[in-house]
């Protein structure tokens, strides 16, 4: 494994141990078994390591979502459920998630949301196109609908941005499902998976 | 005018002069004709003044949108056009806007987007309800549709987050108009104002 990845691993471990918030660059280097001087060859600051870690975490989520969809042979509605459920349940270490929601890390957070939206949107768009071919959906703007879906997930449904009761969250998801069903001319309840939790 | 407002005015003037980025707390105080010590009674740091300025700028936009809608006697489609056009054309000093899009100010930016979404959403919701009463729209989830509309504006259509050609921006807006028309069962082209610019 290359040294760059080892340094990112070290910060990830510090997050899992709950020590990342206060960890200095030296501590990250020590954890990675790398001389502090060598570390600066890869990263100029702790923020850069954090940035790389966040990018890796989100890239992993994107890769998993892609692989789940590529392996599926189901129809468009089932694929939408598969993808969006997988995305929503994707694991981000709670300490890292909390860190991302601190005002001073909003820049990295926003960048990661743009990254994940830009990456997942083409996958959703292809599923919508599949649905049109299957005769389940009617949609002249699959790419744009996909972008809207991702922006609702990235902004409106972020519990770190909007504090909501569980009941209000379910209402938001019901409204969102209703808009998608009507927009796509999809059978009623096609998107009920959005608000019916395990 | 109270001193707090004078200090915010001073930072606003510094923005207009293009000097806000490098201005120190002392310079803001000098501009406001307030002793530096007195200034700390109102604001602990430059960031706090900036925060207050951004809040005031966005609160003014919210107030103007509210007043424009309260004075209108038009139908729901015209009111939607009135509100969304007014919101999109609302003036934010370009230097302040640029400042808000720097990664280190993403926290304040995000807060202001949440503030404006939360404030404009009930106004949009009332317009949608009016449309239902007028028989122009069908909508069981006016509040949730309104939240989705605001999140598309706050995230997807933010040119500071997503770089797009003018052509792609128009496509995004066409897709968004299409989704709203279908979702609300509104007459075709009701939302064409979204993509037909002056």
């Amino acid at each position: 494994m290359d040294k760059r990845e080892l340094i990112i691993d070290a910060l990830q471990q510090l997050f899992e141990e709950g020590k990342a918030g206060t960890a200095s660059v030296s501590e990250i280097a020590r954890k990675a078994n790398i001389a502090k001087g060598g570390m600066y060859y890869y990263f100029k600051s702790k923020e850069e390591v954090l940035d790389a870690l966040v990018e890796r975490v989100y890239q992993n989520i994107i890769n998993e979502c892609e692989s789940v969809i590529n392996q599926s042979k189901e129809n468009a509605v089932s694929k939408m459920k598969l993808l969006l459920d997988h995305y929503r349940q994707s694991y981000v270490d709670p300490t890292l998630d909390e860190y991302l929601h601190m005002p001073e890390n909003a820049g990295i957070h926003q960048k990661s949301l743009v990254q994940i939206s830009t990456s997942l949107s083409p996958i959703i768009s292809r599923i919508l196109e599949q649905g049109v071919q299957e005769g389940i959906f009617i949609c002249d703007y699959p790419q744009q609908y996909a972008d809207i879906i991702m922006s609702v997930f990235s902004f409106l449904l972020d519990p770190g941005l909007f504090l909501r009761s569980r009941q209000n969250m379910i209402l938001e998801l019901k409204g969102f499902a209703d808009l998608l069903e009507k927009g796509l001319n999809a059978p009623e309840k096609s998107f009920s998976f959005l608000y019916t939790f395990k």
Side-chain angles (χ1 to χ4, degrees), chain A:
Chain A
M1 205 186 239
D2 75 13
K3 282 189 179 173
R4 191 174 180 280
E5 291 297 307
L6 286 175
I7 296 166
I8 303 174
D9 284 349
L11 182 62
Q12 184 160 27
Q13 277 175 42
L14 286 164
F15 265 109
E16 284 159 13
E17 293 164 15
K19 294 177 193 158
T22 54
S24 63
V25 169
S26 314
E27 282 166 295
I28 301 172
R30 199 179 313 132
K31 189 96 186 168
N33 271 321
I34 281 174
K36 198 176 162 188
M39 165 125 177
Y40 281 112
Y41 176 76
Y42 297 95
F43 296 104
K44 278 181 206 74
S45 65
K46 183 182 165 184
E47 278 59 44
E48 287 194 4
V49 191
L50 179 63
D51 215 348
L53 170 60
V54 172
E55 201 182 310
R56 193 173 76 175
V57 166
Y58 279 77
Q59 192 56 54
N60 284 343
I61 296 175
I62 294 164
N63 295 346
E64 283 166 22
C65 286
E66 274 178 346
S67 122
V68 153
I69 289 306
N70 288 340
Q71 282 162 36
S72 160
K73 302 273 170 250
E74 303 194 70
N75 76 7
V77 170
S78 304
K79 274 193 184 171
M80 283 295 280
K81 174 172 163 42
L82 198 64
L83 178 69
L84 295 179
D85 280 352
H86 194 86
Y87 172 49
R88 289 196 290 178
Q89 286 155 21
S90 53
Y91 181 77
V92 176
D93 183 284
T95 337
L96 178 60
D97 195 56
E98 198 183 307
Y99 200 78
L100 280 175
H101 280 95
M102 292 174 179
E104 61 268 35
N105 299 317
I108 297 182
H109 187 208
Q110 219 166 38
K111 214 171 109 183
S112 66
L113 291 176
V114 169
Q115 177 197 357
I116 208 153
S117 294
T118 313
S119 306
L120 292 188
S121 195
I123 307 180
I124 296 177
S125 178
R126 282 195 296 277
I127 301 176
L128 295 179
E129 283 167 16
Q130 179 188 329
V132 171
Q133 282 170 353
E134 291 168 343
I136 316 176
F137 300 148
I138 298 176
C139 184
D140 294 330
Y141 298 94
Q143 183 57 60
Q144 289 69 36
Y145 273 43
D147 290 343
I148 293 169
I149 292 171
M150 282 312 297
S151 83
V152 169
F153 274 105
S154 302
F155 186 74
L156 187 61
L157 302 179
D158 186 333
L161 293 181
F162 295 92
L163 275 176
R164 284 195 189 90
S165 64
R166 189 184 155 80
Q167 201 186 347
N168 272 334
M169 185 53 137
I170 290 176
L171 263 180
E172 288 296 325
L173 291 165
K174 280 191 173 174
F176 187 35
D178 181 80
L179 178 60
L180 291 177
E181 287 163 10
K182 294 195 168 126
L184 293 164
N185 200 37
E188 224 178 297
K189 305 273 177 200
S190 305
F191 286 85
S192 62
F193 67 85
L194 283 173
Y195 54 87
T196 47
F197 301 103
K198 54 260 127 187

